[in-house]
Amino acid sequence: MKNAILYLLIFISGLMYSQILQKGIIQDGNGRMLDAATVTLSKDQKNVATVFSDLGNFSMGYPEAGNYTLTVTLPDYQPVEMLVQLPKESMMITMHRNEHTIQEVTLTKRKPLIERKIDRVSFNVENSIIASGGSAWEALTKAPGIQITSANTVTANRKNVRIYLDGKPLQLSGDDLAAYLQGMPSDQVSQVEIFSNPPARFDAEGASVVNIVTKKAKKQGFNLSLSSGINQGNYTGYTGNTTFTYRKNKWNMYGNYGFTHRKTIQDHNIFINYGNSLWNSLSRTVYDSDTHDYRLGVDYQVSDNQVLGFLITGNNRKGSSESPAITEITSPAMKLDSTLNTDNYASTLGSQHAFNLNYNLKLDSAKSSLNIDLDYALFRNVNRPFTDNVTLLPDGSLTSDFFHIYTPSSQEISVMSGKADYYFKAAKGLEITSGIKYSSTESISIFDYFNRDGAELKAVEANRNHFTYREKVVSAYTSVSGNFGSWSLQGGLRGEYTRTRGYEQNLNLLNGQNYFKLFPTVFIQYKPFENHEFQFNYAYRIERPEYNRLNPAKRFLSPYSVYAGNPALQPAFVHSLEAGYTYSKKYNLTAYYTSTRDVFTNINIQDNDTKRYYGTQANLGLSTMAGIRLSAPVKPASWWDVNILADMYRQREKSDYLSGSYDNHMISFSGSMSQSFSIDKKTGLKAEINGTYNSSGIQGIYRVRANFFVDLGVKMNVLKNAGTLKLTITDIFNTNNNLVSIHFRNQQSRFFYQRESRFITLSLLYRFGNNISAPRNRKTASEEERKRMQ
């Protein structure tokens, strides 16, 4: 390893000193610096270097002194071509506007709502009124192929995902992830990228990857945007956000701060058939939360080809939940036996902070580059839940069965990591990217259990839990891509060595794993004719369980309902392939197949003798899915755009389970239609309506009922086009809910969940200042580990 690193440094040093650097300035006739001009240096009709001007400045490398041809081009300007003798101390090039340019007319190419590339599908949020009318969470939920469960678990094309923000991971999942993204205005989001089969540059974890890309400004100066919104459901919520960027000379500073207050509800209806008694529980949980999120970064241009950057991101959350429940216990003849009154109240505090140091070096006029990241991330969470349960007889009298507990818990997760990526543009158009990464993660979870008698607390040591989990991952990858006539190819191989240790102190239980795996990826695109493209891709991936799935601490929802994680949980491995055809860069038909072995998931076990319901995590057997997806944009009129998505698929779930086994099959369908209408161009008045339908599906022994929902939005420009006013109504008919049922041997139950999804949101975005160069979009080294934090 040491020799390999030494050879790499020698190779990079050779590249650095084998080039002569020439600097120059490009301006117009009024002395204004010109950005994004193409500068080409050639000799003997062979290209030597091509670069783009950055705010009028450019620098390029060439191999030796001599006579060269310099060509400069820029749209709306007359091209410049001259013979130059290099080296020169400095170069000043003046360009003049094309006299035939009609400056009064501006033609803007509008990106389509959905774009398809060789390794991803991009959803352009700014072209969707509904997706851009609220928060980044709403934008994510409207992206093609994205599904959200009642527990706020995100999947892409029914595969587990890893969420990134500008190439960096988000440390949250479930409700915490939703709260974080709900605090970010969607007007900051440019695209949502869905990598159904992620390439080798991504960590191997996650069957798919979703990257949320924020908007980028272009020019030097100061820019500030202010946004605020109010949303009305059962309760009123509000959000405010400010974003700034300032760039001058070699310094570039950027940051944002956002605050969100939300108060929402979720309804639960749980029915369990224990054979000789039926349990029917109704509850409504009210969530109340305040979220602060912030980011501050600075980049320093050390030289023309070197940048040093530092980035801090943080999030603080404070919230509470209150969930009263009434459970009626009846005989099979529906005669009331007793009633349980349960109150659950919890207060939560959470914080996450991440620090990133980045160094980027560009070589050979950007033909090669080296990027190094060092990261440290810390996550803390404190939860203080109280549970009270009393039992009433049919006459209303109380029994002696009292259940009053206090179960405080805390979790601290720290991640230290570093990575280096080297990019090289080889001969014949080949692009090669290689990298190495090391990460070390430690998670410490402490769970206490107290019986309560008034203000008196009595510890129950048998239920106490202290769990420590450590994980180290060493990885390396290489990816090669290139174009060969009608063919575009991209292939990669990633190797990861993983070592884990989980220790439960009370039981003196140690679980550990050591394994090395190779993860190949292949992308092929064939374009025999102008409007016809064929695609094929394959990826082998790993899914590691989140840390809370491994924690064996028992969490009581009532004396009859308890949940505990599983420290012996194993990772799952996923094979995924796709083959598709695209016509006219618009209409796409894709056939796909996904196979996952050792699927880990939550399972529920009902004990018909003790009338207790247990939730835990387990590895099951095989889960496969095969189907066909259709994507088609239609334009019935110049003012009317329609996007149609349809997906027909067959699922198979097969595993040994409890004392038996199952082999379930189902054909399912999901589809959506988005329609946008341009009403008045002068005011920018537009409207959009979206409808989505999901048929019944299966997951293990669970069967999920069909659902649908419809969203509506309008927007217009205000304040002399410096502001945008938007009004959206999500889930108009209040139909976005989940009904899950289990019918397996002596397991008979069903669960109805409806997380509040019908909101009216009014938002205003106001921009002022000069446009500025955006901060660099870079990935940090701790991306995967931070996302598994809970």
Side-chain angles (χ1 to χ4, degrees), residues 276-306:
N276 58 1
S277 66
L278 309 178
W279 293 47
N280 190 20
S281 176
L282 297 173
S283 68
R284 167 170 286 190
T285 303
V286 179
Y287 299 95
D288 197 341
S289 66
D290 292 324
T291 304
H292 304 261
D293 65 271
Y294 37 87
R295 178 178 66 159
L296 180 63
V298 59
D299 291 333
Y300 177 70
Q301 193 83 31
V302 180
S303 65
D304 289 334
N305 62 339
Q306 297 181 81

PDB file of all heavy atoms in Angstrom, residues 276-306:
ATOM      1  N   ASN A 276     -58.936 -16.371  20.897  1.00  0.00           N
ATOM      2  CA  ASN A 276     -60.065 -16.307  21.827  1.00  0.00           C
ATOM      3  C   ASN A 276     -60.367 -14.890  22.295  1.00  0.00           C
ATOM      4  O   ASN A 276     -61.228 -14.664  23.136  1.00  0.00           O
ATOM      5  CB  ASN A 276     -59.819 -17.208  23.036  1.00  0.00           C
ATOM      6  CG  ASN A 276     -58.538 -16.832  23.767  1.00  0.00           C
ATOM      7  OD1 ASN A 276     -57.845 -15.899  23.385  1.00  0.00           O
ATOM      8  ND2 ASN A 276     -58.235 -17.586  24.819  1.00  0.00           N
ATOM      9  N   SER A 277     -59.645 -13.901  21.756  1.00  0.00           N
ATOM     10  CA  SER A 277     -59.952 -12.506  22.068  1.00  0.00           C
ATOM     11  C   SER A 277     -59.497 -11.616  20.899  1.00  0.00           C
ATOM     12  O   SER A 277     -58.503 -11.916  20.215  1.00  0.00           O
ATOM     13  CB  SER A 277     -59.274 -12.059  23.369  1.00  0.00           C
ATOM     14  OG  SER A 277     -57.867 -12.055  23.232  1.00  0.00           O
ATOM     15  N   LEU A 278     -60.233 -10.521  20.708  1.00  0.00           N
ATOM     16  CA  LEU A 278     -59.950  -9.572  19.637  1.00  0.00           C
ATOM     17  C   LEU A 278     -59.565  -8.236  20.265  1.00  0.00           C
ATOM     18  O   LEU A 278     -60.270  -7.731  21.142  1.00  0.00           O
ATOM     19  CB  LEU A 278     -61.184  -9.394  18.742  1.00  0.00           C
ATOM     20  CG  LEU A 278     -61.835 -10.672  18.202  1.00  0.00           C
ATOM     21  CD1 LEU A 278     -63.072 -10.340  17.390  1.00  0.00           C
ATOM     22  CD2 LEU A 278     -60.841 -11.476  17.373  1.00  0.00           C
ATOM     23  N   TRP A 279     -58.445  -7.678  19.796  1.00  0.00           N
ATOM     24  CA  TRP A 279     -57.934  -6.421  20.335  1.00  0.00           C
ATOM     25  C   TRP A 279     -58.016  -5.359  19.240  1.00  0.00           C
ATOM     26  O   TRP A 279     -57.413  -5.504  18.171  1.00  0.00           O
ATOM     27  CB  TRP A 279     -56.477  -6.565  20.804  1.00  0.00           C
ATOM     28  CG  TRP A 279     -56.316  -7.469  22.006  1.00  0.00           C
ATOM     29  CD1 TRP A 279     -56.868  -8.704  22.180  1.00  0.00           C
ATOM     30  CD2 TRP A 279     -55.535  -7.204  23.165  1.00  0.00           C
ATOM     31  NE1 TRP A 279     -56.491  -9.227  23.380  1.00  0.00           N
ATOM     32  CE2 TRP A 279     -55.670  -8.331  24.011  1.00  0.00           C
ATOM     33  CE3 TRP A 279     -54.750  -6.151  23.580  1.00  0.00           C
ATOM     34  CZ2 TRP A 279     -55.034  -8.419  25.240  1.00  0.00           C
ATOM     35  CZ3 TRP A 279     -54.108  -6.222  24.798  1.00  0.00           C
ATOM     36  CH2 TRP A 279     -54.257  -7.351  25.629  1.00  0.00           C
ATOM     37  N   ASN A 280     -58.749  -4.289  19.513  1.00  0.00           N
ATOM     38  CA  ASN A 280     -58.905  -3.203  18.552  1.00  0.00           C
ATOM     39  C   ASN A 280     -58.456  -1.900  19.206  1.00  0.00           C
ATOM     40  O   ASN A 280     -59.044  -1.452  20.185  1.00  0.00           O
ATOM     41  CB  ASN A 280     -60.369  -3.097  18.094  1.00  0.00           C
ATOM     42  CG  ASN A 280     -60.520  -2.152  16.920  1.00  0.00           C
ATOM     43  OD1 ASN A 280     -59.561  -1.871  16.216  1.00  0.00           O
ATOM     44  ND2 ASN A 280     -61.724  -1.647  16.724  1.00  0.00           N
ATOM     45  N   SER A 281     -57.380  -1.306  18.657  1.00  0.00           N
ATOM     46  CA  SER A 281     -56.769  -0.134  19.277  1.00  0.00           C
ATOM     47  C   SER A 281     -56.874   1.068  18.343  1.00  0.00           C
ATOM     48  O   SER A 281     -56.555   0.972  17.148  1.00  0.00           O
ATOM     49  CB  SER A 281     -55.297  -0.411  19.602  1.00  0.00           C
ATOM     50  OG  SER A 281     -54.662   0.733  20.111  1.00  0.00           O
ATOM     51  N   LEU A 282     -57.307   2.203  18.909  1.00  0.00           N
ATOM     52  CA  LEU A 282     -57.389   3.466  18.174  1.00  0.00           C
ATOM     53  C   LEU A 282     -56.522   4.495  18.879  1.00  0.00           C
ATOM     54  O   LEU A 282     -56.584   4.642  20.099  1.00  0.00           O
ATOM     55  CB  LEU A 282     -58.833   3.975  18.120  1.00  0.00           C
ATOM     56  CG  LEU A 282     -59.851   3.111  17.382  1.00  0.00           C
ATOM     57  CD1 LEU A 282     -61.253   3.693  17.574  1.00  0.00           C
ATOM     58  CD2 LEU A 282     -59.523   3.027  15.908  1.00  0.00           C
ATOM     59  N   SER A 283     -55.703   5.222  18.098  1.00  0.00           N
ATOM     60  CA  SER A 283     -54.871   6.265  18.704  1.00  0.00           C
ATOM     61  C   SER A 283     -54.571   7.344  17.678  1.00  0.00           C
ATOM     62  O   SER A 283     -54.618   7.105  16.463  1.00  0.00           O
ATOM     63  CB  SER A 283     -53.559   5.681  19.251  1.00  0.00           C
ATOM     64  OG  SER A 283     -52.728   5.244  18.200  1.00  0.00           O
ATOM     65  N   ARG A 284     -54.281   8.511  18.172  1.00  0.00           N
ATOM     66  CA  ARG A 284     -53.834   9.635  17.344  1.00  0.00           C
ATOM     67  C   ARG A 284     -52.610  10.240  18.005  1.00  0.00           C
ATOM     68  O   ARG A 284     -52.658  10.648  19.170  1.00  0.00           O
ATOM     69  CB  ARG A 284     -54.924  10.686  17.175  1.00  0.00           C
ATOM     70  CG  ARG A 284     -54.420  12.009  16.597  1.00  0.00           C
ATOM     71  CD  ARG A 284     -55.525  12.960  16.207  1.00  0.00           C
ATOM     72  NE  ARG A 284     -56.172  12.520  14.979  1.00  0.00           N
ATOM     73  CZ  ARG A 284     -57.043  13.263  14.290  1.00  0.00           C
ATOM     74  NH1 ARG A 284     -57.385  14.458  14.745  1.00  0.00           N
ATOM     75  NH2 ARG A 284     -57.596  12.813  13.190  1.00  0.00           N
ATOM     76  N   THR A 285     -51.518  10.299  17.259  1.00  0.00           N
ATOM     77  CA  THR A 285     -50.276  10.883  17.765  1.00  0.00           C
ATOM     78  C   THR A 285     -50.138  12.296  17.233  1.00  0.00           C
ATOM     79  O   THR A 285     -50.303  12.532  16.034  1.00  0.00           O
ATOM     80  CB  THR A 285     -49.062  10.047  17.339  1.00  0.00           C
ATOM     81  OG1 THR A 285     -49.219   8.701  17.805  1.00  0.00           O
ATOM     82  CG2 THR A 285     -47.775  10.626  17.910  1.00  0.00           C
ATOM     83  N   VAL A 286     -49.805  13.213  18.118  1.00  0.00           N
ATOM     84  CA  VAL A 286     -49.557  14.606  17.738  1.00  0.00           C
ATOM     85  C   VAL A 286     -48.064  14.879  17.888  1.00  0.00           C
ATOM     86  O   VAL A 286     -47.499  14.719  18.976  1.00  0.00           O
ATOM     87  CB  VAL A 286     -50.366  15.581  18.613  1.00  0.00           C
ATOM     88  CG1 VAL A 286     -50.059  17.025  18.206  1.00  0.00           C
ATOM     89  CG2 VAL A 286     -51.860  15.295  18.485  1.00  0.00           C
ATOM     90  N   TYR A 287     -47.425  15.243  16.769  1.00  0.00           N
ATOM     91  CA  TYR A 287     -45.998  15.555  16.765  1.00  0.00           C
ATOM     92  C   TYR A 287     -45.829  17.071  16.740  1.00  0.00           C
ATOM     93  O   TYR A 287     -46.448  17.769  15.939  1.00  0.00           O
ATOM     94  CB  TYR A 287     -45.312  14.962  15.539  1.00  0.00           C
ATOM     95  CG  TYR A 287     -45.399  13.459  15.437  1.00  0.00           C
ATOM     96  CD1 TYR A 287     -46.409  12.847  14.683  1.00  0.00           C
ATOM     97  CD2 TYR A 287     -44.460  12.647  16.064  1.00  0.00           C
ATOM     98  CE1 TYR A 287     -46.480  11.467  14.578  1.00  0.00           C
ATOM     99  CE2 TYR A 287     -44.536  11.270  15.961  1.00  0.00           C
ATOM    100  CZ  TYR A 287     -45.547  10.687  15.219  1.00  0.00           C
ATOM    101  OH  TYR A 287     -45.625   9.322  15.121  1.00  0.00           O
ATOM    102  N   ASP A 288     -44.952  17.568  17.598  1.00  0.00           N
ATOM    103  CA  ASP A 288     -44.655  18.999  17.668  1.00  0.00           C
ATOM    104  C   ASP A 288     -43.141  19.149  17.646  1.00  0.00           C
ATOM    105  O   ASP A 288     -42.450  18.569  18.493  1.00  0.00           O
ATOM    106  CB  ASP A 288     -45.246  19.594  18.955  1.00  0.00           C
ATOM    107  CG  ASP A 288     -45.339  21.107  18.909  1.00  0.00           C
ATOM    108  OD1 ASP A 288     -44.650  21.717  18.072  1.00  0.00           O
ATOM    109  OD2 ASP A 288     -46.093  21.680  19.717  1.00  0.00           O
ATOM    110  N   SER A 289     -42.612  19.919  16.695  1.00  0.00           N
ATOM    111  CA  SER A 289     -41.154  19.987  16.577  1.00  0.00           C
ATOM    112  C   SER A 289     -40.698  21.356  16.101  1.00  0.00           C
ATOM    113  O   SER A 289     -41.399  22.042  15.351  1.00  0.00           O
ATOM    114  CB  SER A 289     -40.642  18.918  15.605  1.00  0.00           C
ATOM    115  OG  SER A 289     -41.098  19.177  14.291  1.00  0.00           O
ATOM    116  N   ASP A 290     -39.513  21.747  16.551  1.00  0.00           N
ATOM    117  CA  ASP A 290     -38.791  22.928  16.080  1.00  0.00           C
ATOM    118  C   ASP A 290     -37.430  22.457  15.587  1.00  0.00           C
ATOM    119  O   ASP A 290     -36.709  21.752  16.311  1.00  0.00           O
ATOM    120  CB  ASP A 290     -38.610  23.955  17.196  1.00  0.00           C
ATOM    121  CG  ASP A 290     -39.931  24.574  17.623  1.00  0.00           C
ATOM    122  OD1 ASP A 290     -40.803  24.777  16.754  1.00  0.00           O
ATOM    123  OD2 ASP A 290     -40.099  24.849  18.834  1.00  0.00           O
ATOM    124  N   THR A 291     -37.094  22.877  14.389  1.00  0.00           N
ATOM    125  CA  THR A 291     -35.853  22.416  13.769  1.00  0.00           C
ATOM    126  C   THR A 291     -35.023  23.603  13.293  1.00  0.00           C
ATOM    127  O   THR A 291     -35.545  24.511  12.633  1.00  0.00           O
ATOM    128  CB  THR A 291     -36.140  21.505  12.561  1.00  0.00           C
ATOM    129  OG1 THR A 291     -36.958  20.410  12.984  1.00  0.00           O
ATOM    130  CG2 THR A 291     -34.854  20.961  11.969  1.00  0.00           C
ATOM    131  N   HIS A 292     -33.752  23.612  13.658  1.00  0.00           N
ATOM    132  CA  HIS A 292     -32.786  24.583  13.151  1.00  0.00           C
ATOM    133  C   HIS A 292     -31.761  23.816  12.313  1.00  0.00           C
ATOM    134  O   HIS A 292     -31.186  22.835  12.787  1.00  0.00           O
ATOM    135  CB  HIS A 292     -32.050  25.293  14.298  1.00  0.00           C
ATOM    136  CG  HIS A 292     -32.951  25.971  15.283  1.00  0.00           C
ATOM    137  ND1 HIS A 292     -33.219  27.321  15.244  1.00  0.00           N
ATOM    138  CD2 HIS A 292     -33.657  25.481  16.341  1.00  0.00           C
ATOM    139  CE1 HIS A 292     -34.043  27.639  16.229  1.00  0.00           C
ATOM    140  NE2 HIS A 292     -34.321  26.537  16.920  1.00  0.00           N
ATOM    141  N   ASP A 293     -31.523  24.270  11.091  1.00  0.00           N
ATOM    142  CA  ASP A 293     -30.442  23.665  10.313  1.00  0.00           C
ATOM    143  C   ASP A 293     -29.587  24.775   9.723  1.00  0.00           C
ATOM    144  O   ASP A 293     -30.077  25.859   9.404  1.00  0.00           O
ATOM    145  CB  ASP A 293     -30.990  22.739   9.218  1.00  0.00           C
ATOM    146  CG  ASP A 293     -31.790  23.481   8.178  1.00  0.00           C
ATOM    147  OD1 ASP A 293     -33.007  23.641   8.362  1.00  0.00           O
ATOM    148  OD2 ASP A 293     -31.191  23.919   7.172  1.00  0.00           O
ATOM    149  N   TYR A 294     -28.302  24.504   9.589  1.00  0.00           N
ATOM    150  CA  TYR A 294     -27.373  25.556   9.184  1.00  0.00           C
ATOM    151  C   TYR A 294     -26.166  24.942   8.483  1.00  0.00           C
ATOM    152  O   TYR A 294     -25.835  23.763   8.657  1.00  0.00           O
ATOM    153  CB  TYR A 294     -26.915  26.370  10.400  1.00  0.00           C
ATOM    154  CG  TYR A 294     -26.725  25.556  11.651  1.00  0.00           C
ATOM    155  CD1 TYR A 294     -25.515  24.923  11.933  1.00  0.00           C
ATOM    156  CD2 TYR A 294     -27.781  25.374  12.547  1.00  0.00           C
ATOM    157  CE1 TYR A 294     -25.348  24.168  13.075  1.00  0.00           C
ATOM    158  CE2 TYR A 294     -27.624  24.620  13.701  1.00  0.00           C
ATOM    159  CZ  TYR A 294     -26.410  24.024  13.955  1.00  0.00           C
ATOM    160  OH  TYR A 294     -26.249  23.260  15.084  1.00  0.00           O
ATOM    161  N   ARG A 295     -25.521  25.787   7.696  1.00  0.00           N
ATOM    162  CA  ARG A 295     -24.335  25.377   6.953  1.00  0.00           C
ATOM    163  C   ARG A 295     -23.468  26.602   6.737  1.00  0.00           C
ATOM    164  O   ARG A 295     -23.959  27.689   6.440  1.00  0.00           O
ATOM    165  CB  ARG A 295     -24.724  24.780   5.597  1.00  0.00           C
ATOM    166  CG  ARG A 295     -23.543  24.365   4.743  1.00  0.00           C
ATOM    167  CD  ARG A 295     -23.989  23.730   3.439  1.00  0.00           C
ATOM    168  NE  ARG A 295     -24.673  24.671   2.566  1.00  0.00           N
ATOM    169  CZ  ARG A 295     -24.789  24.500   1.250  1.00  0.00           C
ATOM    170  NH1 ARG A 295     -24.301  23.428   0.680  1.00  0.00           N
ATOM    171  NH2 ARG A 295     -25.419  25.399   0.520  1.00  0.00           N
ATOM    172  N   LEU A 296     -22.170  26.440   6.898  1.00  0.00           N
ATOM    173  CA  LEU A 296     -21.219  27.526   6.651  1.00  0.00           C
ATOM    174  C   LEU A 296     -19.972  26.929   6.019  1.00  0.00           C
ATOM    175  O   LEU A 296     -19.373  26.000   6.555  1.00  0.00           O
ATOM    176  CB  LEU A 296     -20.857  28.238   7.954  1.00  0.00           C
ATOM    177  CG  LEU A 296     -19.855  29.400   7.818  1.00  0.00           C
ATOM    178  CD1 LEU A 296     -20.448  30.509   6.951  1.00  0.00           C
ATOM    179  CD2 LEU A 296     -19.467  29.933   9.193  1.00  0.00           C
ATOM    180  N   GLY A 297     -19.595  27.480   4.874  1.00  0.00           N
ATOM    181  CA  GLY A 297     -18.430  26.961   4.166  1.00  0.00           C
ATOM    182  C   GLY A 297     -17.585  28.079   3.602  1.00  0.00           C
ATOM    183  O   GLY A 297     -18.064  29.196   3.351  1.00  0.00           O
ATOM    184  N   VAL A 298     -16.309  27.793   3.411  1.00  0.00           N
ATOM    185  CA  VAL A 298     -15.398  28.752   2.801  1.00  0.00           C
ATOM    186  C   VAL A 298     -14.428  27.992   1.902  1.00  0.00           C
ATOM    187  O   VAL A 298     -13.927  26.915   2.264  1.00  0.00           O
ATOM    188  CB  VAL A 298     -14.642  29.569   3.872  1.00  0.00           C
ATOM    189  CG1 VAL A 298     -13.844  28.652   4.801  1.00  0.00           C
ATOM    190  CG2 VAL A 298     -13.737  30.603   3.229  1.00  0.00           C
ATOM    191  N   ASP A 299     -14.197  28.525   0.709  1.00  0.00           N
ATOM    192  CA  ASP A 299     -13.216  27.989  -0.222  1.00  0.00           C
ATOM    193  C   ASP A 299     -12.148  29.045  -0.463  1.00  0.00           C
ATOM    194  O   ASP A 299     -12.461  30.242  -0.633  1.00  0.00           O
ATOM    195  CB  ASP A 299     -13.855  27.622  -1.570  1.00  0.00           C
ATOM    196  CG  ASP A 299     -14.775  26.415  -1.458  1.00  0.00           C
ATOM    197  OD1 ASP A 299     -14.539  25.595  -0.553  1.00  0.00           O
ATOM    198  OD2 ASP A 299     -15.718  26.309  -2.251  1.00  0.00           O
ATOM    199  N   TYR A 300     -10.888  28.611  -0.499  1.00  0.00           N
ATOM    200  CA  TYR A 300      -9.782  29.528  -0.789  1.00  0.00           C
ATOM    201  C   TYR A 300      -9.007  29.004  -1.995  1.00  0.00           C
ATOM    202  O   TYR A 300      -8.565  27.850  -2.004  1.00  0.00           O
ATOM    203  CB  TYR A 300      -8.845  29.657   0.413  1.00  0.00           C
ATOM    204  CG  TYR A 300      -7.645  30.536   0.133  1.00  0.00           C
ATOM    205  CD1 TYR A 300      -7.807  31.913  -0.031  1.00  0.00           C
ATOM    206  CD2 TYR A 300      -6.372  29.992   0.019  1.00  0.00           C
ATOM    207  CE1 TYR A 300      -6.726  32.733  -0.300  1.00  0.00           C
ATOM    208  CE2 TYR A 300      -5.274  30.809  -0.237  1.00  0.00           C
ATOM    209  CZ  TYR A 300      -5.447  32.171  -0.409  1.00  0.00           C
ATOM    210  OH  TYR A 300      -4.372  32.970  -0.680  1.00  0.00           O
ATOM    211  N   GLN A 301      -8.872  29.872  -3.015  1.00  0.00           N
ATOM    212  CA  GLN A 301      -8.158  29.506  -4.242  1.00  0.00           C
ATOM    213  C   GLN A 301      -6.671  29.689  -3.992  1.00  0.00           C
ATOM    214  O   GLN A 301      -6.127  30.787  -4.115  1.00  0.00           O
ATOM    215  CB  GLN A 301      -8.624  30.389  -5.406  1.00  0.00           C
ATOM    216  CG  GLN A 301      -8.187  29.895  -6.777  1.00  0.00           C
ATOM    217  CD  GLN A 301      -9.105  28.832  -7.329  1.00  0.00           C
ATOM    218  OE1 GLN A 301     -10.285  28.827  -7.043  1.00  0.00           O
ATOM    219  NE2 GLN A 301      -8.557  27.928  -8.116  1.00  0.00           N
ATOM    220  N   VAL A 302      -6.005  28.606  -3.605  1.00  0.00           N
ATOM    221  CA  VAL A 302      -4.575  28.675  -3.290  1.00  0.00           C
ATOM    222  C   VAL A 302      -3.782  29.107  -4.512  1.00  0.00           C
ATOM    223  O   VAL A 302      -2.875  29.934  -4.435  1.00  0.00           O
ATOM    224  CB  VAL A 302      -4.080  27.309  -2.768  1.00  0.00           C
ATOM    225  CG1 VAL A 302      -2.592  27.365  -2.445  1.00  0.00           C
ATOM    226  CG2 VAL A 302      -4.877  26.906  -1.541  1.00  0.00           C
ATOM    227  N   SER A 303      -4.119  28.548  -5.664  1.00  0.00           N
ATOM    228  CA  SER A 303      -3.509  28.911  -6.951  1.00  0.00           C
ATOM    229  C   SER A 303      -4.548  28.653  -8.025  1.00  0.00           C
ATOM    230  O   SER A 303      -5.689  28.284  -7.731  1.00  0.00           O
ATOM    231  CB  SER A 303      -2.227  28.103  -7.191  1.00  0.00           C
ATOM    232  OG  SER A 303      -2.528  26.726  -7.315  1.00  0.00           O
ATOM    233  N   ASP A 304      -4.163  28.831  -9.273  1.00  0.00           N
ATOM    234  CA  ASP A 304      -5.122  28.651 -10.362  1.00  0.00           C
ATOM    235  C   ASP A 304      -5.667  27.236 -10.425  1.00  0.00           C
ATOM    236  O   ASP A 304      -6.768  27.017 -10.926  1.00  0.00           O
ATOM    237  CB  ASP A 304      -4.474  29.004 -11.706  1.00  0.00           C
ATOM    238  CG  ASP A 304      -4.243  30.497 -11.837  1.00  0.00           C
ATOM    239  OD1 ASP A 304      -4.985  31.262 -11.185  1.00  0.00           O
ATOM    240  OD2 ASP A 304      -3.325  30.902 -12.569  1.00  0.00           O
ATOM    241  N   ASN A 305      -4.929  26.274  -9.924  1.00  0.00           N
ATOM    242  CA  ASN A 305      -5.375  24.889 -10.027  1.00  0.00           C
ATOM    243  C   ASN A 305      -5.523  24.192  -8.672  1.00  0.00           C
ATOM    244  O   ASN A 305      -5.630  22.978  -8.607  1.00  0.00           O
ATOM    245  CB  ASN A 305      -4.401  24.091 -10.906  1.00  0.00           C
ATOM    246  CG  ASN A 305      -3.006  24.041 -10.313  1.00  0.00           C
ATOM    247  OD1 ASN A 305      -2.651  24.878  -9.495  1.00  0.00           O
ATOM    248  ND2 ASN A 305      -2.224  23.066 -10.734  1.00  0.00           N
ATOM    249  N   GLN A 306      -5.527  24.969  -7.572  1.00  0.00           N
ATOM    250  CA  GLN A 306      -5.651  24.372  -6.250  1.00  0.00           C
ATOM    251  C   GLN A 306      -6.689  25.128  -5.420  1.00  0.00           C
ATOM    252  O   GLN A 306      -6.681  26.358  -5.379  1.00  0.00           O
ATOM    253  CB  GLN A 306      -4.316  24.401  -5.501  1.00  0.00           C
ATOM    254  CG  GLN A 306      -3.207  23.597  -6.158  1.00  0.00           C
ATOM    255  CD  GLN A 306      -1.932  23.659  -5.340  1.00  0.00           C
ATOM    256  OE1 GLN A 306      -1.779  22.942  -4.356  1.00  0.00           O
ATOM    257  NE2 GLN A 306      -1.021  24.533  -5.736  1.00  0.00           N
TER     258      GLN A 306
END
